[in-house]
Amino acid sequence: MHDARILLDLGEDAVRSLAKRGYTLDLTTIEDLFTRRNSSIKSADELRAESKRVAAEVGKTAKAGGDATELKERARALKDQVRELEEEQEKVEGELRETLLSIPNFPAEDVPDGLSDEFNVEIRKHGTPPSFSFDPRDHVDLGEAMGIFDFSRAAKLSGSRFSVARGAGAVLERALATFFLNLHTGRHGYQEISVPNLVNRTTMTGTGQLPKFEEDLFRTGVADRELFLIPTAEVPLTNLHADEILPTEDLPYAYTAWTPCFRSEAGSYGRDTRGILRLHQFSKVELVRVVRPEESRAELEKMLGHAEACLKELGLAYRVVALAAGDLGFAATFTYDIEVWLPSQNTYREISSCSDCGTFQARRAAIRTKSKDGQRGLAATLNGSGLPIGRTLAALLEQNQQQDGSVVIPEVLVPFTGFRRVAADGTPES
């Protein structure tokens, strides 16, 4: 969320910055609401002072035995005027807040220009995409042939865009999640957190999912409470420190969680709907860091390395790209995507986004800092996938498939699976 004063002070610089990501900033509306709010505050304060003076006059007149009727009428009229101005102030403040909440974060100065993913810039590649002496199959054909995916029964249970994993498939999902969590907590220094999968509107607003992306969320309720199913563990992990003042010297905080994620994927029908690449429900290991603002970019590079380590350990070929301004997420000021190689599509596909959100989410969620010398400020927040289970499993199956329909399991997963290979009929083999 932005500060109206800062937007107005920046003026056309703010307009140009947000235009890079395809957003048209309406400074006129912001200035009008900001001015009306300030005017109502000033007028209400003046009337309160006048009301206080008149009240004193009422008391003085009554004490002297005089007639205070007109003064009392004046006092009542002033109270009514103050109440009207307070209602106006509340209304205008609500409109201003809703306007500010809908404005995305500024892109960093070094974000590549461009309004779509066509302008994303490749940073590096790791590993060599496997070559095959046969036509590689996609993860759907492989998984269904082995009997480790069951999409027809998932559809029976929940409709389209859901999956069922069974046998070795379910074991591999659990193994990947455990491996990622062990890697991030044991080697990378994250604290594992178990968080609610249902959160309130304030929590969703803090990280930027609301109000703009409400149609992408699943909403439910318990009794009289409105709750949302989380689209990513970024939401509860980041908001752990909402409305808190954090000691600056204790930063950074680093958290990880393995949760289900729920997304309606509004507007995405027809894109990646086959298999497990774009589901309404999937699981993911998430990374969140709360840091000093001046260290956020260095922390982003660190987080990117943590996500990359997962793919390196699994021996999967991938590349890293910097997102163009128009491809940035709503809360991000700079984002790296990691794209894993999918042989069936003969291309790299996004598997992780690591984003520096600067102080954008911290301002919305009131995540503040205070140093030992009393200096106050806002924290910076970062988030990244480390990694999604489904997309990783799809890449693992496709990159490690054999001509006979079997799949070789990466050595680092064997302690978690108990097998090194899944036969063409789905039988685990040690």
Side-chain angles (χ1 to χ4, degrees):
M1 179 172 164
H2 294 278
D3 185 317
R5 291 183 184 86
I6 294 176
L7 288 176
L8 294 173
D9 287 344
L10 289 172
E12 287 304 312
D13 287 339
V15 173
R16 283 190 291 271
S17 179
L18 290 170
K20 290 181 178 179
R21 57 185 303 160
Y23 182 86
T24 302
L25 179 63
D26 184 357
L27 283 177
T28 301
T29 296
I30 295 171
E31 184 172 19
D32 176 63
L33 292 171
F34 188 69
T35 301
R36 286 167 55 195
R37 185 197 66 172
N38 290 348
S39 177
S40 62
I41 291 173
K42 181 181 178 181
S43 297
D45 286 343
E46 291 173 349
L47 287 176
R48 288 190 193 96
E50 174 69 6
S51 179
K52 187 176 180 180
R53 186 190 67 77
V54 171
E57 286 293 322
V58 169
K60 188 184 299 183
T61 302
K63 187 175 181 180
D67 184 1
T69 302
E70 290 187 10
L71 287 170
K72 289 179 179 179
E73 287 295 328
R74 173 64 177 156
R76 279 192 289 270
L78 286 169
K79 286 183 180 179
D80 289 342
Q81 288 178 277
V82 169
R83 184 168 55 253
E84 290 174 2
L85 282 169
E86 287 175 341
E87 291 174 354
E88 171 67 12
Q89 177 188 336
E90 184 178 352
K91 176 177 178 292
V92 174
E93 282 184 338
E95 292 177 11
L96 179 60
R97 176 175 168 78
E98 287 301 305
T99 298
L100 294 173
L101 285 174
S102 69
I103 302 171
N105 200 357
F106 290 123
E109 290 184 2
D110 57 341
V111 166
D113 288 333
L115 294 178
S116 71
D117 58 5
E118 296 178 4
F119 299 92
N120 293 346
V121 176
E122 181 177 289
I123 304 299
R124 58 179 170 269
K125 289 180 179 177
H126 179 86
T128 302
S131 58
F132 301 93
S133 59
F134 56 93
D135 290 333
R137 293 191 285 178
D138 71 5
H139 67 279
V140 180
D141 290 339
L142 282 166
E144 289 189 325
M146 290 189 290
I148 64 174
F149 291 157
D150 193 336
F151 294 104
S152 62
R153 286 189 170 88
K156 179 174 64 176
L157 295 172
S158 306
S160 62
R161 311 286 283 277
F162 289 89
S163 69
V164 166
R166 60 167 69 239
V171 173
L172 281 166
E173 288 188 343
R174 172 167 48 85
L176 284 167
T178 305
F179 170 65
F180 294 155
L181 289 171
N182 285 359
L183 186 63
H184 296 315
T185 57
R187 186 189 301 178
H188 300 150
Y190 289 81
Q191 181 182 38
E192 184 177 353
I193 307 286
S194 178
V195 293
N197 297 324
L198 287 164
V199 297
N200 58 32
R201 179 173 287 271
T202 300
T203 300
M204 282 289 190
T205 303
T207 39
Q209 279 72 27
L210 289 177
K212 188 173 180 61
F213 301 105
E214 187 157 354
E215 67 173 5
D216 291 323
L217 303 173
F218 285 105
R219 180 170 55 187
T220 183
V222 177
D224 60 343
R225 286 186 295 162
E226 177 189 51
L227 295 170
F228 295 85
L229 289 161
I230 60 171
T232 166
E234 168 204 344
V235 175
L237 287 177
T238 303
N239 280 281
L240 285 174
H241 295 294
D243 297 309
E244 293 183 13
I245 299 175
L246 312 178
T248 305
E249 58 273 11
D250 289 352
L251 300 179
Y253 296 155
Y255 302 131
T256 186
W258 172 33
T259 68
C261 304
F262 304 89
R263 300 181 185 180
S264 74
E265 297 286 2
S268 68
Y269 291 93
R271 297 166 49 214
D272 294 334
T273 54
R274 176 175 165 82
I276 58 177
L277 296 182
R278 193 182 294 271
L279 299 174
H280 290 312
Q281 176 185 331
F282 60 97
S283 64
K284 178 160 65 83
V285 173
E286 184 74 359
L287 306 175
V288 163
R289 299 181 76 84
V290 182
V291 308
R292 298 179 181 92
E294 65 272 17
E295 297 174 355
S296 65
R297 182 57 70 86
E299 291 284 339
L300 177 63
E301 298 293 336
K302 185 181 297 184
M303 175 181 282
L304 175 64
H306 298 159
E308 285 187 80
C310 298
L311 293 172
K312 289 178 180 177
E313 292 287 323
L314 292 172
L316 297 176
Y318 69 89
R319 71 172 184 170
V320 176
V321 300
L323 297 196
D327 201 29
L328 289 174
F330 180 80
T333 184
F334 192 100
T335 296
Y336 289 115
D337 266 9
I338 304 175
E339 299 178 345
V340 71
W341 180 258
L342 286 183
S344 66
Q345 298 184 16
N346 196 39
T347 192
Y348 293 95
R349 298 304 304 271
E350 184 257 318
I351 195 170
S352 173
S353 287
C354 294
S355 297
D356 176 4
C357 297
T359 59
F360 184 81
Q361 291 178 327
R363 188 183 301 279
R364 296 170 75 101
I367 306 173
R368 294 156 291 173
T369 61
K370 183 179 180 180
S371 63
K372 286 182 178 180
D373 61 6
Q375 289 189 348
R376 295 175 179 268
L378 291 168
T381 60
L382 304 96
N383 62 80
S385 302
L387 295 169
I389 307 307
R391 290 198 173 200
T392 305
L393 180 54
L396 186 156
L397 294 176
E398 292 197 16
Q399 289 198 34
N400 292 306
Q401 62 182 294
Q402 307 298 303
Q403 188 167 7
D404 64 357
S406 65
V407 173
V408 176
I409 304 304
E411 192 65 30
V412 293
L413 289 184
V414 173
F416 304 100
T417 63
F419 52 82
R420 286 181 164 80
R421 185 184 184 94
V422 182
D425 63 358
T427 301
E429 297 178 345
S430 58

